[in-house]
Amino acid sequence: MLICTKKLSYTYMPGTSFKVEALREIDLSIDRGSFTVLLGPSGSGKSTLLQLLGGLLRPTEGAIFIDGRRLQYRRRELRELRRRVGLVFQEPERQFFCETLYDEIAFAPRNFALPPGTVKERVEQALQQVGLDDPALLQRSPFQLSAGQQRLAAIAAVLAMQPRLLLLDEPTAGLDQAGQRKLFALLQQLNRRPGFTVVVVTHRLDRVASLADYYLVLDRGGLLMEGSPGEIFSRAEELHRCGLSLPPVMLLMHELIAAGLPFSPVLYSIEEARREINAWRKKVARP
Amino acid sequence: MAAVLLETKKLTFVYPGQPESSRPALKEIDLEVCAGEYIALMGANGSGKSTLLKQFNALLRPTGGAVFVDGLSTADDHCIPQIRSLCGMIFQNPDNQIVGTTVEEDVAFGLENRAVPPPEIRRRVAAALELLGIAHRAGFPPHQLSGGEKQRVALAGLLALRPRCLLLDEPTAMLDPAGQAVLLEAVQRLNREQGITVIQATHYPEEAALAGRVLLLENGLLLKEGPPNDILSDLPLLRSLGLGSTAAGELAYLLRRDGMPLPGGILHNRELAVQLCLYAQKN
Ligand SMILES: Nc1ncnc2c1ncn2[C@@H]1O[C@H](COP(=O)(O)OP(=O)(O)OP(=O)(O)O)[C@@H](O)[C@H]1O
Ligand SMILES: Nc1ncnc2c1ncn2[C@@H]1O[C@H](COP(=O)(O)OP(=O)(O)OP(=O)(O)O)[C@@H](O)[C@H]1O
Ligand SMILES: [Mg+2]
Ligand SMILES: [Mg+2]
């Protein structure tokens, strides 16, 4: 599905002294099948925007269009939206309300009235996809898991709905390296399916940088930049000014270039850097 | 040699309500931490990092073995107030920590509890909020902050208390890059200038590289410990545990495997730059 917003604004607690204009007149579009990363300093409005896109908050001004149709927040529309859009919260424990891990993951499939056999399959598949398939955990309360296990559970609960659009708020916070690698391999695999769209909010660009094809950068409630990775990361100065940074491999390449080595500054993964340095080595090693 | 501040002896812990047959969350951990050390705690999800940190401020207490803080046993109820004022903790989930109705009250809470005089409270609260860049939210209800803002409020509350030992459970997980840098610098400064002991659980090798000693946990066991240059350059071990090294550490390891003569222990970007320049000169 194609999402776009027109002058989308959101104000928390309007009309009180605690009023916060979290988003102001945002015009953006997210293409069907894209892998979009939403960047921005703390408090810039990322989580607010994700909840608006997921239909959990209603704009205080402006509108959201899905496949060209303006979202009116009718009950039928919202039910349809919930089926197609999965949102993983920044604080996973906000998502939990069942007695056991199993029930938590089974909630959405049961809610869609799928037959019990299908529910079980979906639960097992989702837990396996995120790497939380230790049977000792299934009957535990989600609150009795470690923080990283809780995040994996929250992601699995959303995957079990089999959405077409995945909105993930800081999905790697608290995950170990293997869990992060596994998650991004999964997102890449899902994103290859025709029309499957992924939007990720993150402060850590190490793994996501080589997957993302589009970036949106928020700053203090406004859209500061949007574009391809190349367009965004060539504006390092501006990113830095609002408290953001380049992907770690780019920072590393910049350091090598500053030392006088002849490398490309636009590499996003360790593997690309490895190839580049090995090629250089062949050249300098020649007698 | 500095005095031992934290000590565990055959520390074992099983969560209440777990079947006896289940694997303990911590198993026979023997550890000594000296006053003024800066320790990074690494390990896969569920390996026991948070459980271990909570032992040091007696939030959890051993089901086997013992934990001592400045010589006081956490099993002794009378010692708990003193232990908690020595060792302050921030939790992985800041929501569990927030108590006040405004950010300012929340940060002041621990100080009021300890009967610090009000003018001193105001000074310390203002300084902590300023340091972490959230002074503009002082009068706000803390539950209505963004994730990163909440994490900074929790840390401000801890720093205002000035404990001798900071137990930090993934304190940068939700901070933006500028916020991460501010926090890490503040913690390093407290450690260096005031000898505050720090134990920080982290999944980020860049952060572990700043510590004086890295501890590796696996399934509740203390598997290995040592200086960051040793631990973080043992890629085969780290990978077998589901962990990794810094960008420079990972790249140096791969290049060495591809046959490039690089020394071990490279963790920082600058170190790799220097080594590549030396290589170019020699050829
Ligand atoms: N429930 C709420 N009530 C009032 N204000 C809120 C609420 N949630 C967020 N805000 C405010 O709205 C602004 C945007 O918050 P949001 O959570 O969208 O930021 P964010 O970009 O996700 O930040 P972070 O990186 O810290 O998670 C912040 O200034 C925050 O204080
Ligand atoms: N309240 C609880 N009841 C039962 N078991 C628990 C509870 N909390 C944690 N555990 C289990 O104890 C083990 C250690 O958990 P702990 O939270 O210490 O891990 P961790 O290393 O901090 O992991 P993470 O990186 O995910 O935060 C895990 O297997 C976890 O499932
Ligand atoms: Mg957020
Ligand atoms: Mg933990």
Side-chain angles (χ1 to χ4, degrees):
Chain A
M1 59 215 252
L2 171 82
I3 299 186
C4 64
T5 70
K6 292 264 152 61
K7 291 198 183 300
L8 176 65
S9 300
Y10 192 84
T11 303
Y12 287 102
M13 295 181 287
T16 73
S17 61
F18 296 121
K19 162 178 136 172
V20 176
E21 291 184 10
L23 292 173
R24 261 172 291 107
E25 306 204 338
I26 304 281
D27 292 323
L28 60 78
S29 66
I30 294 169
D31 287 343
R32 193 180 295 119
S34 70
F35 195 126
T36 300
V37 171
L38 179 54
L39 298 179
S42 181
S44 60
K46 304 179 296 297
S47 299
T48 306
L49 179 55
L50 225 52
Q51 291 173 64
L52 284 161
L53 297 178
L56 294 172
L57 293 178
R58 203 174 161 159
T60 47
E61 251 161 283
I64 297 178
F65 295 81
I66 295 177
D67 293 331
R69 288 224 315 273
R70 181 182 177 142
L71 191 57
Q72 309 275 8
Y73 299 88
R74 295 198 190 96
R75 205 184 288 155
R76 272 241 326 267
E77 249 182 344
L78 287 176
R79 205 179 317 133
E80 180 57 22
L81 192 71
R82 301 271 139 77
R83 259 178 184 276
R84 295 159 71 192
V85 180
L87 170 66
V88 181
F89 283 99
Q90 185 168 8
E91 294 153 86
E93 62 286 347
R94 267 180 57 188
Q95 224 172 286
F96 299 143
F97 52 90
C98 296
E99 298 273 310
T100 68
L101 173 61
Y102 186 93
D103 288 343
E104 196 66 59
I105 314 297
F107 183 82
R110 280 177 183 152
N111 209 23
F112 298 157
L114 297 173
T118 316
V119 171
K120 187 157 177 286
E121 263 167 44
R122 284 227 191 161
V123 173
E124 282 166 2
Q125 187 194 5
L127 287 171
Q128 199 210 331
Q129 280 176 317
V130 299
L132 199 61
D133 42 356
D134 176 355
L137 302 180
L138 286 180
Q139 295 309 316
R140 242 196 240 163
S141 152
F143 293 99
Q144 293 177 328
L145 300 173
S146 81
Q149 291 166 340
Q150 286 186 5
R151 187 162 311 272
L152 294 174
I155 297 170
V158 167
L159 289 174
M161 298 163 41
Q162 303 194 342
R164 310 282 303 137
L165 167 66
L166 254 182
L167 307 168
L168 302 132
D169 203 345
E170 299 279 1
T172 57
L175 294 191
D176 61 33
Q177 304 280 331
Q180 293 184 23
R181 204 174 301 129
K182 189 157 183 148
L183 175 65
F184 280 120
L186 173 67
L187 294 180
Q188 186 174 26
Q189 184 198 329
L190 291 171
N191 185 231
R192 283 206 193 102
R193 296 186 187 163
F196 194 105
T197 312
V198 180
V199 181
V200 176
V201 169
T202 186
H203 289 306
R204 308 273 176 167
L205 293 169
D206 40 352
R207 281 177 208 286
V208 82
S210 51
L211 303 184
D213 44 40
Y214 205 69
Y215 284 82
L216 300 166
V217 185
L218 291 178
D219 186 27
R220 284 165 292 172
L223 190 60
L224 180 70
M225 299 180 201
E226 57 179 321
S228 67
E231 284 164 344
I232 299 299
F233 296 124
S234 63
R235 296 164 72 177
E237 259 308 300
E238 273 169 277
L239 290 171
H240 196 78
R241 234 179 289 137
C242 68
L244 301 175
S245 175
L246 297 175
V249 174
M250 270 185 102
L251 288 176
L252 172 58
M253 296 318 283
H254 283 206
E255 185 95 35
L256 301 183
I257 293 164
L261 296 158
F263 297 132
S264 155
V266 274
L267 299 180
Y268 302 114
S269 72
I270 302 262
E271 271 312 314
E272 289 171 283
R274 176 190 191 181
R275 273 198 297 275
E276 174 118 348
I277 295 175
N278 277 328
W280 165 78
R281 212 180 107 210
K282 287 216 184 77
K283 261 186 259 158
V284 295
R286 232 178 283 149
Chain B
M1 192 62 205
V4 173
L5 183 65
L6 308 174
E7 186 177 14
T8 69
K9 286 194 170 146
K10 298 229 172 299
L11 161 61
T12 297
F13 182 78
V14 180
Y15 274 96
Q18 293 306 302
E20 284 199 8
S21 58
S22 69
R23 183 170 56 71
L26 297 174
K27 205 169 164 202
E28 305 205 342
I29 294 194
D30 284 313
L31 176 67
E32 279 186 3
V33 176
C34 290
E37 271 198 275
Y38 192 140
I39 289 185
L41 198 53
M42 295 188 88
N45 290 135
S47 59
K49 301 179 296 298
S50 300
T51 309
L52 180 58
L53 286 177
K54 288 175 188 162
Q55 301 284 336
F56 291 126
N57 76 344
L59 211 67
L60 296 175
R61 301 197 273 174
T63 52
V67 174
F68 300 94
V69 175
D70 207 19
L72 308 169
S73 167
T74 62
D76 185 345
D77 289 342
H78 299 294
C79 299
I80 289 188
Q82 208 181 336
I83 288 173
R84 298 226 168 115
S85 73
L86 282 169
C87 289
M89 173 152 180
I90 55 165
F91 300 128
Q92 212 161 350
N93 166 12
D95 260 343
N96 293 344
Q97 198 145 8
I98 285 169
V99 285
T101 54
T102 68
V103 165
E104 215 161 18
E105 261 179 47
D106 191 81
V107 174
F109 177 77
L111 294 167
E112 277 162 4
N113 242 1
R114 258 154 234 174
V116 175
E120 174 69 9
I121 294 186
R122 279 195 293 278
R123 241 190 331 270
R124 287 207 209 171
V125 169
L129 292 177
E130 193 60 44
L131 175 72
L132 293 164
I134 35 164
H136 63 295
R137 288 278 178 266
F140 273 65
H143 280 290
Q144 293 168 347
L145 298 177
S146 78
E149 288 166 343
K150 277 187 220 169
Q151 203 164 24
R152 284 180 284 164
V153 170
L155 190 75
L158 176 58
L159 294 185
L161 282 172
R162 302 187 182 158
R164 269 173 59 200
C165 175
L166 299 173
L167 307 169
L168 308 175
D169 202 352
E170 300 190 34
T172 64
M174 273 182 307
L175 300 183
D176 60 32
Q180 289 161 29
V182 166
L183 185 149
L184 293 172
E185 272 161 34
V187 171
Q188 286 182 89
R189 198 161 356 100
L190 287 171
N191 174 257
R192 214 173 33 234
E193 293 171 6
Q194 299 177 33
I196 303 292
T197 310
V198 180
I199 308 189
Q200 180 177 345
T202 182
H203 285 297
Y204 303 109
E206 282 74 13
E207 291 178 9
L210 302 172
R213 180 153 64 121
V214 181
L215 309 181
L216 284 183
L217 288 181
E218 185 198 24
N219 284 333
L221 292 171
L222 179 55
L223 189 72
K224 203 174 169 187
E225 54 176 304
N229 292 55
D230 288 352
I231 302 285
L232 293 173
S233 49
D234 191 349
L235 261 296
L237 173 70
L238 292 170
R239 287 193 181 163
S240 74
L241 298 177
L243 307 175
S245 188
T246 61
E250 297 267 346
L251 186 54
Y253 170 78
L254 292 171
L255 292 171
R256 235 187 355 258
R257 242 184 30 186
D258 295 337
M260 190 164 188
L262 291 172
I266 294 175
L267 293 185
H268 300 286
N269 292 349
R270 173 134 322 146
E271 294 168 344
L272 185 61
V274 169
Q275 290 304 327
L276 292 183
C277 289
L278 286 174
Y279 178 85
Q281 268 172 19
K282 275 190 225 143
N283 286 275

Coordinates of all heavy atoms in Angstrom, one line a residue, chain A residues 137 140 143-149 174, chain B residues 15-16 18 23 25 43-52 92 169-170 203, ligand 2:
Chain A
L137 N 10.1 -21.1 27.5 CA 9.6 -19.8 27.7 C 8.1 -19.7 27.4 O 7.5 -18.7 27.8 CB 10.4 -18.8 26.8 CG 11.9 -18.7 26.9 CD1 12.5 -17.7 26.0 CD2 12.2 -18.3 28.4
R140 N 5.6 -19.0 30.2 CA 5.9 -17.9 31.1 C 5.2 -16.6 30.8 O 4.8 -16.4 29.6 CB 7.4 -17.6 31.0 CG 8.2 -17.9 32.3 CD 9.5 -17.2 32.2 NE 10.5 -18.2 32.4 CZ 11.8 -18.0 32.0 NH1 12.2 -16.8 31.5 NH2 12.7 -18.9 32.2
F143 N 6.1 -10.8 31.0 CA 6.9 -9.9 31.9 C 8.0 -10.6 32.7 O 8.8 -10.0 33.3 CB 5.9 -9.3 32.9 CG 5.0 -8.3 32.3 CD1 3.7 -8.7 31.9 CD2 5.4 -7.0 31.9 CE1 2.8 -7.8 31.3 CE2 4.5 -6.2 31.3 CZ 3.3 -6.6 30.9
Q144 N 8.0 -11.9 32.6 CA 9.1 -12.7 33.2 C 10.2 -13.1 32.2 O 10.9 -14.0 32.4 CB 8.6 -14.0 33.8 CG 7.7 -13.7 35.0 CD 7.1 -15.0 35.6 OE1 6.9 -15.9 34.9 NE2 6.9 -15.0 36.9
L145 N 10.3 -12.3 31.1 CA 11.4 -12.5 30.2 C 12.4 -11.4 30.3 O 12.1 -10.4 30.9 CB 10.8 -12.4 28.7 CG 9.7 -13.4 28.4 CD1 9.1 -13.1 27.0 CD2 10.3 -14.9 28.4
S146 N 13.6 -11.7 29.8 CA 14.6 -10.6 29.9 C 14.2 -9.5 28.9 O 13.3 -9.8 28.0 CB 16.0 -11.2 29.4 OG 16.1 -11.3 28.0
A147 N 14.8 -8.3 29.0 CA 14.3 -7.2 28.1 C 14.4 -7.5 26.6 O 13.5 -7.2 25.9 CB 15.1 -6.0 28.5
G148 N 15.5 -8.1 26.2 CA 15.7 -8.5 24.8 C 14.7 -9.5 24.4 O 14.1 -9.5 23.3
Q149 N 14.4 -10.5 25.2 CA 13.4 -11.5 24.9 C 12.0 -10.9 24.8 O 11.2 -11.2 24.0 CB 13.4 -12.6 26.0 CG 14.6 -13.5 26.0 CD 14.8 -14.3 27.3 OE1 14.2 -14.0 28.4 NE2 15.6 -15.4 27.2
G174 N 18.2 -3.2 22.7 CA 18.2 -4.3 23.7 C 18.5 -5.6 23.1 O 18.5 -6.6 23.8
Chain B
Y15 N 14.9 -17.6 39.7 CA 13.8 -16.7 39.9 C 12.7 -17.4 40.7 O 12.4 -18.6 40.5 CB 13.2 -16.2 38.6 CG 14.0 -14.9 38.1 CD1 15.0 -15.0 37.2 CD2 13.6 -13.7 38.6 CE1 15.7 -13.9 36.8 CE2 14.3 -12.5 38.2 CZ 15.3 -12.6 37.3 OH 16.0 -11.5 36.9
P16 N 11.9 -16.7 41.6 CA 10.9 -17.4 42.3 C 9.8 -17.9 41.4 O 9.5 -17.3 40.3 CB 10.3 -16.2 43.2 CG 10.9 -15.0 42.7 CD 12.1 -15.3 42.0
Q18 N 10.0 -20.4 39.5 CA 10.5 -21.2 38.4 C 10.7 -22.7 38.9 O 11.1 -22.9 40.1 CB 11.8 -20.7 37.9 CG 11.7 -19.3 37.3 CD 10.7 -19.3 36.1 OE1 10.8 -20.1 35.2 NE2 9.6 -18.5 36.3
R23 N 17.0 -24.0 34.6 CA 18.4 -23.5 34.6 C 18.4 -22.2 35.5 O 17.6 -21.3 35.3 CB 18.8 -23.2 33.2 CG 20.2 -22.7 33.0 CD 20.5 -22.7 31.5 NE 19.6 -21.9 30.7 CZ 19.5 -20.5 30.7 NH1 20.3 -19.8 31.5 NH2 18.7 -19.9 29.9
A25 N 19.2 -18.5 36.7 CA 19.6 -17.3 35.9 C 21.0 -16.9 36.1 O 21.6 -16.3 35.2 CB 18.6 -16.1 36.3
G43 N 26.8 -10.1 27.1 CA 26.2 -11.4 27.0 C 25.0 -11.4 26.2 O 24.3 -10.3 26.0
A44 N 24.6 -12.5 25.6 CA 23.4 -12.6 24.7 C 22.2 -12.3 25.5 O 22.2 -12.2 26.8 CB 23.3 -14.0 24.1
N45 N 21.1 -12.1 24.8 CA 19.8 -11.9 25.5 C 19.5 -13.0 26.4 O 19.6 -14.2 26.0 CB 18.7 -11.7 24.5 CG 18.7 -10.4 23.7 OD1 18.6 -10.4 22.5 ND2 19.0 -9.3 24.3
G46 N 19.1 -12.7 27.6 CA 18.8 -13.8 28.6 C 20.0 -14.4 29.3 O 19.8 -15.4 30.0
S47 N 21.2 -13.9 29.1 CA 22.4 -14.5 29.7 C 22.5 -14.1 31.2 O 23.3 -14.8 31.9 CB 23.6 -14.1 28.9 OG 23.8 -12.7 29.0
G48 N 21.8 -13.1 31.7 CA 21.8 -12.8 33.1 C 22.4 -11.5 33.5 O 22.6 -11.2 34.7
K49 N 22.6 -10.6 32.6 CA 23.1 -9.3 32.9 C 22.3 -8.5 33.9 O 22.8 -8.0 34.9 CB 23.3 -8.5 31.6 CG 24.2 -9.1 30.6 CD 24.4 -8.3 29.3 CE 23.1 -8.1 28.5 NZ 22.5 -9.3 28.0
S50 N 21.0 -8.3 33.5 CA 20.1 -7.5 34.4 C 20.0 -8.2 35.8 O 20.0 -7.5 36.8 CB 18.7 -7.4 33.8 OG 18.9 -6.8 32.5
T51 N 19.9 -9.5 35.8 CA 19.8 -10.3 37.0 C 21.0 -10.0 37.9 O 20.9 -9.8 39.1 CB 19.6 -11.8 36.7 OG1 18.6 -11.9 35.8 CG2 19.3 -12.5 38.0
L52 N 22.2 -10.0 37.3 CA 23.4 -9.8 38.1 C 23.5 -8.3 38.6 O 23.8 -8.1 39.8 CB 24.7 -10.0 37.2 CG 26.0 -9.8 37.9 CD1 26.2 -10.7 39.1 CD2 27.2 -10.1 36.9
Q92 N 16.6 -1.2 32.8 CA 16.5 -1.3 31.3 C 15.3 -0.6 30.8 O 15.3 0.0 29.8 CB 16.5 -2.7 30.9 CG 17.2 -3.0 29.6 CD 17.6 -4.5 29.5 OE1 17.5 -5.2 30.5 NE2 18.0 -4.8 28.3
D169 N 21.9 -0.3 33.4 CA 21.5 -1.4 32.5 C 21.1 -0.9 31.1 O 20.0 -0.4 30.9 CB 20.3 -2.1 33.2 CG 20.1 -3.5 32.7 OD1 20.7 -3.9 31.7 OD2 19.2 -4.2 33.2
E170 N 22.0 -1.1 30.2 CA 21.8 -0.6 28.8 C 21.3 0.8 28.8 O 20.3 1.1 28.2 CB 20.9 -1.5 28.0 CG 21.5 -2.9 28.0 CD 20.8 -3.9 27.1 OE1 20.3 -3.4 26.0 OE2 20.7 -5.1 27.4
H203 N 25.0 -3.9 24.9 CA 25.1 -4.8 23.7 C 25.9 -4.1 22.6 O 26.1 -4.6 21.5 CB 23.7 -5.0 23.1 CG 22.9 -6.0 23.8 ND1 23.3 -7.3 24.0 CD2 21.7 -5.9 24.5 CE1 22.4 -8.0 24.7 NE2 21.5 -7.1 25.1
Ligands
LIG2 N1 10.9 -12.3 36.5 C1 11.5 -13.4 35.9 N2 11.0 -14.7 36.2 C2 11.6 -15.8 35.7 N3 12.6 -15.8 34.8 C3 13.1 -14.6 34.5 C4 12.6 -13.3 35.1 N4 13.3 -12.3 34.6 C5 14.3 -12.9 33.8 N5 14.2 -14.2 33.7 C6 15.0 -15.2 33.0 O1 16.3 -15.1 33.6 C7 17.3 -15.2 32.6 C8 18.3 -14.0 32.7 O2 17.5 -12.8 32.4 P1 18.2 -11.3 32.4 O3 17.1 -10.4 32.4 O4 19.1 -11.2 33.6 O5 19.0 -11.4 31.1 P2 19.8 -10.3 30.3 O6 21.2 -10.8 30.1 O7 19.7 -9.0 31.1 O8 19.1 -10.2 28.9 P3 18.8 -9.0 27.9 O9 20.0 -8.7 27.1 O10 17.7 -9.5 27.1 O11 18.3 -7.8 28.8 C9 16.6 -15.2 31.2 O12 16.5 -16.6 30.8 C10 15.2 -14.7 31.6 O13 14.2 -15.4 30.7

